[in-house]
Amino acid sequence: MPVLSADALTLREVRQEDAASLLAMLATDDVSRFMSPLPPTLDSFGRFVAWNNEQRASGQSVCFVVIPEGIGSPVGVCQMRSLEPAFVTAEWGFALGSPFWGTGLFASAAQLVLDFAFGTLGVRRLEARACAENRRGNGALRKLGATPEGVLRRSFLWHGQYHDQVLWSILDCDWTGVAPGRSR
């Protein structure tokens, strides 16, 4: 996996030594409330990292960690998984520790990931799901130029209750590669 960098951040493949930092950043209630359940312990998070690397080796998934300049440890993760052979269609998910919300870090990291998806992997269609109640996540996808395609009714189980999700897409022919406030 290549290392991607720009705008005072680095994206690189997830490693075992990232487990503790990711668990600390992502296992908080404010971050995890709109995500599928995270591995609850350091050992299980380490197994999640190993599984991600196995999936990458088999061509099924890629997982980057987000490392802001001057921090040295990951504060977020971006995962893409192939929905059809050769990543023609893929699904992506992104989580960022709440201390970094509203800093522009997500937009910069997303720009790198989307450029990689469309320019390197050859993705034609990238899909994302966001809990309908997740205003921040849905707003971020809208700012990236994603198109809402519909509501997946009661498709996300969280704390024993089903919630609606919005299905978003970005197509290769629509991706301009220019994030808000950044020129190419």
Side-chain angles (χ1 to χ4, degrees):
M1 289 278 294
V3 173
L4 310 175
S5 60
D7 296 338
L9 74 106
T10 298
L11 302 180
R12 64 157 170 76
E13 185 172 22
V14 64
R15 301 177 187 153
Q16 280 298 323
E17 60 265 23
D18 299 331
S21 177
L22 290 173
L23 182 61
M25 278 288 159
L26 305 180
T28 63
D29 285 340
D30 51 348
V31 175
S32 65
R33 69 182 180 157
F34 296 123
M35 296 171 40
S36 297
L38 289 167
T41 66
L42 186 56
D43 284 342
S44 61
F45 216 101
R47 287 191 298 277
F48 168 77
V49 171
W51 176 82
N52 264 292
N53 290 334
E54 290 168 10
Q55 291 291 298
R56 183 209 33 85
S58 69
Q60 299 299 307
S61 177
V62 295
C63 186
F64 290 103
V65 292
V66 180
I67 305 171
E69 185 176 76
I71 300 292
S73 58
V75 301
V77 65
C78 177
Q79 187 176 22
M80 284 187 290
R81 68 182 185 95
S82 181
L83 295 178
E84 62 181 303
F87 275 92
V88 173
T89 300
E91 180 180 45
W92 76 316
F94 205 108
L96 190 63
S98 60
F100 297 91
W101 292 356
T103 64
L105 189 62
F106 170 79
S108 295
Q111 170 84 27
L112 290 172
V113 169
L114 293 169
D115 285 347
F116 176 75
F118 295 120
T120 302
L121 288 180
V123 171
R124 182 190 61 79
R125 175 185 168 84
L126 191 60
E127 297 178 357
R129 295 176 180 209
C131 184
E133 298 165 26
N134 183 354
R135 292 181 19 212
R136 180 177 293 278
N138 285 296
L141 287 163
R142 186 176 310 282
K143 283 181 184 177
L144 288 172
T147 300
E149 293 190 334
V151 174
L152 306 169
R153 296 175 42 215
R154 297 176 41 97
S155 61
F156 175 63
L157 180 63
W158 187 74
H159 285 273
Q161 287 190 318
Y162 282 96
H163 300 266
D164 294 349
Q165 288 181 307
V166 179
L167 176 64
W168 295 85
S169 71
I170 301 175
L171 303 180
D172 60 348
C173 59
D174 295 334
W175 177 243
T176 62
V178 179
R182 179 176 167 198
S183 61
R184 208 153 165 73

